[in-house]
Structures are given as C-alpha cells and as structure tokens.
Amino acid sequence: MSDRVMYFRRLVFGCLVLISFVALAALMAFTLSPGGFGIMDILLWSSFVVTLPWTIIGFWNAVIGLSVMRFSRDPAQNVCPIDAGNFGAPLQTRTAILSCIRNEDVEQLEKNLSAILFDLFKSGEAPAFTLYVLSDSSDDVIAAHERLMCERLSKTWGSHVPVTYRRRNSNTGFKAGNIADFCERWGDQHDFALVLDADSFMTADAILALVRRMETNPKLGILQSLAVGLPTASAFARVFQFGMRLGMRSYTIGSAWWQGDCGPYWGHNAVLRLAPFKKYCKLPDLPGTGPLSGCILSHDQVEAVLMRRAGYEVRVLPQEGGSYEENPPHILEFIRRDLRWCQGNLQYRRLLTMPGLKPISRLQLGLAMLMFMGSPAWLCFMICAATIGYTVNGYAPFRADTGQLLFFTILTMVFAPKIATVIDILFRPALRRSFGGGMRLVLSTASEIIYSAILAPMMAIAHSLFMAGLALGKTIGWGAQARGVARLPLSLAARKLWPQTLFGVAGTLWITTQPLAIVWPALPIAIGPLLAIPLAVLLSSKTAGNIAFGSTLWRIPEETDTPQELLMLDLPVFARRKTPEPNTQADSQSVPVEAA
C-alpha cells in the first residue's frame, strides 16, 4: 500500500477524532454552563476531556472496522495487504518457538507444547522449527518438573523438532531480558522467532500463515496474530473474553486500517525477524530511581516502535482462528495483570522524546499511557459530578437535555466495538450459528455490557490507587500468574477489594439523596464496587463456572465446533469430552538439555 494512501487514511482518521473531541468537549462545557463555571466545573470538564481520546478512537476504529467487514471480500487482507506466500512450497527458513515461562503449571504447559509440536508434525513442516523453553522460574521444584517435561518432549519429538531447555538464575529484565538472553545465545541460528507465553496455543496453520508471510515480505519485522481467549471453565473469564472477542474484531481491523505498517505488538503469539530485532530492539534501562526507572515492564510496544524506527514494518493480521491465549480466571488476577501493564505503560513517559521514532509510534506510546491515566480522570469526574449535584442550591447544576444526549453518546461510543462486531455477525449466517444463534448472541452481548459496566469502576479504582502508590515508590513484582479455577478465599478478596467496597458504599449513599429519575445511569457505577467482594468470590468458583457454561450464554465459536487441536489441550471446560491420543509415530531421540 502506497505512502500516499496511508497518509490519506491517517489524515481522515485524525480529522474524525479531532472533530469528535472538540464537539464533545464543547457539548460538555455547554452542559455545565448553568450557574457559571466554578472550580469544580472546570475540574470536572478537565477530567472529562482526559477520558475522551480512547473513547473516540475506539468508536471510529469500530465504525471503520464495521465498514471494512461489511464491504470488503477479505477484511484482513484489506488492512494487512502483504503477500501471503506460497502455501504449497516448503519453508526455506528456520524459526525458533520461544516458550517464555516463570513458575507455571508444568502439566498444562506440556499439553500445550505437545499439541503444537504434534500439529507441526502433521503439517510436514516440523523440521523448520526448534522449540526453546526459556525458564525464569525461581522455584527449584517447578524448575525440576520443567526439565523433566523438556526431556519427555525431546524424547517424543526431538527427531522432528529439537527441544532445548534453559533456566536463568534470575529474571533480569523480566520477559524482555529472557528473550534477549535467547537472542545472544541462539539468535544467529534462526531467521524468525515465534514468541509464546505459558498460556499461549497456536495451531500449525496459524503458525505457518505467519511464517510464510515473514518469508515472503523481507521488510516485515514483526507480524502479530489476533489471539483470542481459549474456552474456559471460569465464569469470570467466560463473560470477559466473550466481550473481548466481540470488541477486538472490529477494533483491530479499524485500527489496522490507519496504523498500517506501524501496528501493535502484544508480546506473544507473534513472529519476530530475529536479525533486526537483535540489532535494533534492545530495550534501554531507564535512568533514575523508583518504580518507573530501570527495566521496562511493558516491553512489547517499545520493541514495536524500535523495529519501525529501523525501517521494518510492524503489522497485525486481524483474522480469527488458530491463535489463542488464556485469560485470568478471577478478578484479583485480572487486576494484578492490569497493574503490571499500568506500571510498564507509564514508563513510556521517558521514551516519548526518543530520537527517530515515527509520529504514529509516538502517538501509540502516548495513548498507551493515557489508557491508564484515564482511570483517575474518570474517578475525579464522578466525584466532582457527585459533589456538584450534592452541594448546589436553588438552580440546576447541569442542562438535562444536553446532559442526556452526552450520556447516551458516550455510552454508545464506549461499546461501539462490540456493537459493530455483533452487527457483522448477525449478517453472517454461519458465524451467527457458531456464536449460538442471533437471539443468544444478543442476550449474551446485553448481559456482557452490564457486566463490563459493573467491572469498569472496580478497575478504575484499582488503577487510581496503584498510580498513587507509584508516586510513593510502590511497585509490582513479576510473579507466577494464576491459571486454574479455584474459589477465592473471602478474606483475600476483602483484603484486596475493600477500597472498591468503600467507594460503592459512598456512591450508594449519594444515590439515595438524589432523584432516581436523574441518577439511574450511575447505579452500575455504585453497585459494582459495592458488590466487589462477593462477586469476586462467586465468579471464581467452579460452581459458577459450571452454571455459566451450562447456560450456553457467552458462547464462542470454539465451543460450537471445537477444533481437534483444542481437544488435545484437555481443557477443564471440555472435561466431559474424550481427548484424542496423538499418533505421532515419532522416533525416540533426545537432544541436549542445557542449563544456564
């Protein structure tokens, strides 16, 4: 795609965002105009405009994404116009599969890796790959199990896909440091690297689709697949990832339309071109002291902008199928993951002036920061609105007519990516059936939107408190992630979520002092945090997971027509189904298992 076309697309998108921003900011000012502008009005308006960029960008991504999905024969090729390669020709390159782990469930990891290797074996392209299990585990017992796992994998698959195990004594540089260590040891032996997290799974077809495109397009530095959630036995994750599945499709297609060769990298389920990655994508250590200095936690987007600075393209292939990840099974793990991203994204402040970055790259870094800065802004907005509504005497603090217009406009824009995808699915009979039919899809979407409205204030409070802690030197570690479904202890939920509960109590008390006809939109904002503790415990339980699965709501296509590759993972949600045994016919040949 020519530079002129991309310039035009970005100009159009920028104008749409700017016009929307000015219009909504002006409408909010007009809504606040009765009684003049005091300090609280100015603070409320300022908080509102901080939250606008992500809302507006998401809306226009959804509109563009829906247009591409409805009017393009091949939406993914439309926004990622690169040569797909010759699918009949054997691979001519060497690709390293990097499984980056730290204190993970070794049993499930072995199932994931075995299924990937088996599928590559069936494809006939296994000799083009090498598996590296890159461990940063701090637990010696877990590390011993990892070593035994790799020995079993090597015994089964070593004659087709060599298996190497390496454990670092410390996780210096976190995941980016783990991959950097691989690059120094073995990077020159391979053309590409497929980066996987411990919870990642990709089919051979999905892997080969990425690798063939990398082979055919020598200026392509990073190619990111569209990873979707695996079928889950967790009630919390089931509803959440259904919403993500809907939102990501239109959003990613829309964003790829204008981002083009300055696309995102999400740190896993993606292929890297190793020579330029090793040469140009080394992360800087941020100077100073405190939690925003030192090693960069959110390494992925920084590596993407460095690859783009070096003249290589970074693209996302926005098509579903064959690329999966596992979502957090309960709200506490979800919050912990978000806080790690929060700290990492806020480190980008020192990278915004890095010389040589593309304008789109700087914008992406700024938006990544703004994604979390919007949380305290939203919280401030709600507190200011409540304060103004509680303290005024003798006049209406807001214009009711424009206030309602603003509320429904913002609400529509926030959920536009999900609505856009639902519209597209309803027009596609086969896809509609895979989601359980039109009625089930609509009911699932409506309930998920309510669920999201309840969850959002809990997350905003968590982000805001954490960012306040960062200013005081608080940081977050990089420990093992929770994967399995198990009911949270009530005491743990209470210890972690009491600020949300306190906010919910205050919000509920405020609502009781106001006319219900005016404040009903704020009910989810108060009720969600008020019920944070019991909801966290309830949605983490296996019973809730069984009920959610049995309801057939929030169904994803992999549940309607489950690929055989997923059945091999022996996921708990498929416990009642028989898992096929792989007929590998692989030779028993081991390779050296290396230690750091």
Side-chain angles (χ1 to χ4, degrees):
M1 187 171 296
S2 68
D3 292 341
R4 179 176 295 181
V5 171
M6 286 310 305
Y7 177 81
F8 173 76
R9 288 185 177 186
R10 289 167 181 170
L11 179 63
V12 168
F13 188 82
C15 289
L16 291 172
V17 171
L18 182 60
I19 292 170
S20 302
F21 181 89
V22 172
L24 289 171
L27 185 60
M28 173 57 79
F30 184 62
T31 301
L32 296 174
S33 61
F37 291 92
I39 294 177
M40 295 299 293
D41 296 286
I42 295 173
L43 186 58
L44 187 148
W45 182 86
S46 301
S47 301
F48 174 76
V49 298
V50 171
T51 67
L52 279 181
W54 267 100
T55 301
I56 296 171
I57 289 172
F59 171 75
W60 286 114
N61 280 345
V63 171
I64 294 169
L66 178 60
S67 300
V68 173
M69 289 189 294
R70 295 307 310 144
F71 301 113
S72 174
R73 183 171 298 178
D74 187 346
Q77 183 64 26
N78 180 288
V79 298
C80 186
I82 56 176
D83 192 338
N86 184 358
F87 279 77
L91 295 177
Q92 302 299 315
T93 51
R94 296 286 303 168
T95 299
I97 302 174
L98 310 183
S99 178
C100 304
I101 59 176
R102 177 170 169 79
N103 298 326
E104 298 288 350
D105 178 356
V106 178
E107 181 180 358
Q108 188 60 55
L109 176 65
E110 185 170 3
K111 292 175 183 176
N112 288 14
L113 294 178
S114 295
I116 291 173
L117 297 180
F118 175 51
D119 209 27
L120 286 173
F121 170 76
K122 289 195 302 178
S123 75
E125 295 290 354
F129 295 87
T130 302
L131 172 63
Y132 292 86
V133 179
L134 306 177
S135 172
D136 271 0
S137 295
S138 58
D139 188 308
D140 290 337
V141 174
I142 293 177
H145 286 296
E146 293 169 354
R147 181 180 294 274
L148 292 173
M149 173 197 72
C150 289
E151 289 175 352
R152 290 191 295 269
L153 291 174
S154 180
K155 183 178 179 180
T156 304
W157 300 108
S159 60
H160 302 281
V161 181
V163 179
T164 296
Y165 173 74
R166 188 272 289 134
R167 180 194 179 195
R168 291 199 301 170
N169 294 323
S170 64
N171 68 326
T172 304
F174 309 110
K175 182 180 173 183
N178 196 359
I179 294 176
D181 180 80
F182 159 81
C183 288
E184 291 301 318
R185 289 169 176 256
W186 301 287
D188 294 338
Q189 301 175 22
H190 304 277
D191 301 288
F192 312 128
L194 171 68
V195 182
L196 301 176
D197 280 349
D199 59 2
S200 298
F201 174 74
M202 294 185 70
T203 64
D205 286 345
I207 294 171
L208 295 176
L210 297 182
V211 173
R212 291 189 191 281
R213 284 175 168 83
M214 294 292 287
E215 274 193 348
T216 312
N217 301 275
K219 294 304 291 181
L220 188 56
I222 300 177
L223 184 56
Q224 174 69 59
S225 70
L226 184 60
V228 299
L230 283 165
T232 178
S234 160
F236 172 82
R238 179 179 177 84
V239 186
F240 168 77
Q241 70 185 31
F242 173 82
M244 282 290 294
R245 182 71 168 262
L246 296 184
M248 280 186 66
R249 188 155 167 246
S250 64
Y251 186 98
T252 306
I253 290 174
S255 63
W257 181 84
W258 62 273
Q259 288 182 350
D261 54 12
C262 283
Y265 169 44
W266 299 322
H268 59 90
N269 295 48
V271 175
L272 317 174
R273 190 175 298 274
L274 278 172
F277 184 84
K278 181 178 177 180
K279 184 175 181 179
Y280 299 113
C281 298
K282 183 176 177 59
L283 298 183
D285 278 340
L286 300 180
T289 59
L292 299 183
S293 62
C295 298
I296 298 174
L297 284 170
S298 296
H299 60 94
D300 39 22
Q301 191 56 48
V302 181
E303 290 162 344
V305 302
L306 292 176
M307 182 69 81
R308 190 69 194 98
R309 183 177 70 169
Y312 289 84
E313 298 180 4
V314 179
R315 292 187 179 272
V316 60
L317 184 63
Q319 62 185 25
E320 295 177 9
S323 181
Y324 302 94
E325 63 176 336
E326 188 177 354
N327 286 299
H330 54 73
I331 192 170
L332 295 189
E333 182 61 28
F334 182 63
I335 290 174
R336 190 164 75 103
R337 185 186 69 171
D338 245 35
L339 297 186
R340 189 172 67 243
W341 291 348
C342 176
Q343 181 173 334
N345 285 18
L346 293 180
Q347 290 178 300
Y348 295 168
R349 174 179 61 86
R350 301 187 180 186
L351 304 176
L352 291 174
T353 57
M354 185 182 293
L357 296 186
K358 304 289 184 181
I360 295 294
S361 296
R362 296 190 197 279
L363 175 65
Q364 288 168 328
L365 293 178
L367 289 174
M369 297 175 58
L370 200 59
M371 178 170 61
F372 290 100
M373 294 169 61
S375 287
W378 176 87
L379 205 59
C380 181
F381 173 85
M382 297 305 300
I383 293 173
C384 288
T387 302
I388 293 172
Y390 189 75
T391 58
V392 295
N393 292 304
Y395 70 92
F398 314 122
R399 289 185 60 95
D401 52 353
T402 56
Q404 291 180 4
L405 174 62
L406 198 57
F407 171 77
F408 287 109
T409 299
I410 294 296
L411 198 66
T412 301
M413 296 178 81
V414 166
F415 295 110
K418 297 173 184 178
I419 297 170
T421 301
V422 169
I423 292 172
D424 182 61
I425 292 172
L426 290 175
F427 277 97
R428 300 179 186 270
L431 189 57
R432 185 173 67 242
R433 285 192 295 271
S434 72
F435 277 91
M439 183 59 69
R440 183 178 285 111
L441 174 65
V442 171
L443 290 175
S444 298
T445 303
S447 56
E448 191 281 330
I449 286 176
I450 296 173
Y451 179 83
S452 297
I454 289 174
L455 183 63
M458 299 187 207
M459 300 305 298
I461 295 166
H463 295 159
S464 301
L465 291 175
F466 181 70
M467 291 169 68
L470 287 176
L472 301 175
K474 181 181 178 181
T475 188
I476 192 168
W478 195 294
Q481 299 182 51
R483 306 285 188 194
V485 179
R487 189 178 69 84
L488 287 171
L490 179 60
S491 59
L492 176 61
R495 190 165 67 250
K496 297 292 185 179
L497 298 174
W498 67 264
Q500 283 82 351
T501 304
L502 186 61
F503 180 90
V505 170
T508 303
L509 290 176
W510 176 80
I511 286 175
T512 61
T513 67
Q514 305 296 314
L516 185 60
I518 296 177
V519 299
W520 64 266
L523 286 175
I525 297 171
I527 292 176
L530 181 66
L531 301 178
I533 295 171
L535 280 176
V537 174
L538 175 64
L539 295 177
S540 69
S541 68
K542 292 183 179 180
T543 300
N546 292 335
I547 293 173
F549 184 79
S551 73
T552 71
L553 292 174
W554 315 296
R555 179 184 292 181
I556 56 177
E558 287 77 12
E559 294 176 12
T560 301
D561 185 15
T562 306
Q564 288 297 311
E565 297 89 350
L566 292 191
L567 290 177
M568 290 182 61
L569 301 185
D570 195 23
L571 298 171
V573 73
F574 296 141
R576 296 179 182 178
R577 303 187 187 184
K578 184 177 180 180
T579 304
E581 293 292 335
N583 181 20
T584 64
Q585 301 180 5
D587 299 328
S588 296
Q589 179 179 336
S590 60
V591 296
V593 179
E594 300 190 15

